[in-house]
Amino acid sequence: MIKIFRYEFRRLVCNKFFFGLLVITLFYGWQVLMGDVIRGVSHTAPFSPWGFGFYLSQVLPLICLGESFFLSFFVSRAERRVSQLTAATPVDPRRYQLVRAAAVLAGTLLLAACAVALCLGFYAVLFHVLPLGALLPPALLLLVPSLLFCLGAGFFASRFHPAALFAVAAAVLLLTLLPLPGFASLSLSGFFRSYPLAAAVLDPPFAVPAPLLLSRGAYLLLAFALLKKAGTPR
């Protein structure tokens, strides 16, 4: 299974589209850093958890797009022909699907890690700070539920028809781009902009209200349920 994971991972990231999307993500991320973030999001420090979370919320749609692209590798016509041969092998289909999901998640995390590294380099060069401990909570709050939900929904939808994956990708992009309430939004850009303004102090410490934590937990539970269902042979 490790060999299969390595093969699938290399196949996902060693292609022109991945490098093109990486360049676009980093270019757009730099524009966000030099625009809203450097001025301080909602009167907070550029290197605060609020500014970092806002930056991630802006590049998240591109990261989710990359994840959907990775998933599309497994629903192409050529891939469906290969899957018929795979089904005749003694490989456990459920484990095979889990390995593929792990490869997709690893490729997506690589794209996200590059975006995070750009932001950390920005902080280190311009402000001579690298507050890793303070930046970890907003990164976990934003990336973990969003990427797992996109992965689970995409894998589950692709079981029925290849076009369903693109419908899920469009829905995920809407959930990240539209100014939805905090409990429904995947990107949480509104939360990172509005919550510091509602506090009674300037540049408040990072805090997450309980309803928002519950909504992120709901996204996680739904993601695991979809992944489990996707891994079950039809």
Side-chain angles (χ1 to χ4, degrees):
M1 287 297 176
I2 296 178
K3 290 183 178 179
I4 296 176
F5 171 81
R6 289 175 178 173
Y7 167 76
E8 297 291 1
F9 178 75
R10 286 197 301 267
R11 189 161 69 101
L12 293 178
V13 301
C14 296
N15 59 78
K16 294 180 180 179
F17 184 90
F18 173 77
F19 289 106
L21 182 61
L22 176 61
V23 170
I24 293 172
T25 302
L26 295 180
F27 175 77
Y28 178 67
W30 182 256
Q31 301 304 310
V32 175
L33 291 172
M34 295 301 294
D36 292 311
V37 174
I38 198 171
R39 292 195 297 265
V41 176
S42 300
H43 309 301
T44 62
F47 45 83
S48 72
W50 302 107
F52 179 68
F54 177 80
Y55 163 76
L56 287 182
S57 74
Q58 299 305 294
V59 298
L60 182 64
L62 291 172
I63 296 173
C64 290
L65 181 64
E67 189 167 37
S68 298
F69 164 74
F70 292 151
L71 288 170
S72 69
F73 267 60
F74 303 138
V75 296
S76 64
R77 291 182 179 179
E79 188 64 29
R80 291 199 298 273
R81 288 195 296 268
V82 173
S83 65
Q84 296 175 359
L85 299 176
T86 306
T89 66
V91 177
D92 183 359
R94 185 182 180 87
R95 291 183 63 190
Y96 185 58
Q97 285 293 88
L98 288 176
V99 170
R100 281 183 155 187
V104 170
L105 185 59
T108 308
L109 289 176
L110 176 61
L111 182 62
C114 291
V116 170
L118 174 67
C119 187
L120 295 181
F122 173 80
Y123 290 154
V125 173
L126 267 69
F127 302 103
H128 306 288
V129 295
L130 205 60
L132 296 178
L135 303 182
L136 183 60
L140 294 177
L141 177 73
L142 184 60
L143 294 178
V144 175
S146 302
L147 298 185
L148 285 178
F149 173 76
C150 182
L151 178 68
F155 256 117
F156 178 75
S158 64
R159 286 161 50 95
F160 301 99
H161 194 277
L165 173 61
F166 301 103
V168 169
V172 169
L173 286 178
L174 288 177
L175 288 173
T176 57
L177 292 173
L178 292 179
L180 300 173
F183 66 88
S185 173
L186 273 179
S187 67
L188 299 180
S189 60
F191 166 71
F192 288 108
R193 272 194 180 278
S194 62
Y195 199 84
L197 294 175
V201 295
L202 188 65
D203 200 3
F206 185 71
V208 184
L212 185 59
L213 279 177
L214 291 176
S215 70
R216 304 307 283 179
Y219 268 121
L220 270 178
L221 291 176
L222 183 56
F224 288 131
L226 290 171
L227 283 171
K228 182 178 179 180
K229 189 67 176 178
T232 304
R234 295 182 62 183

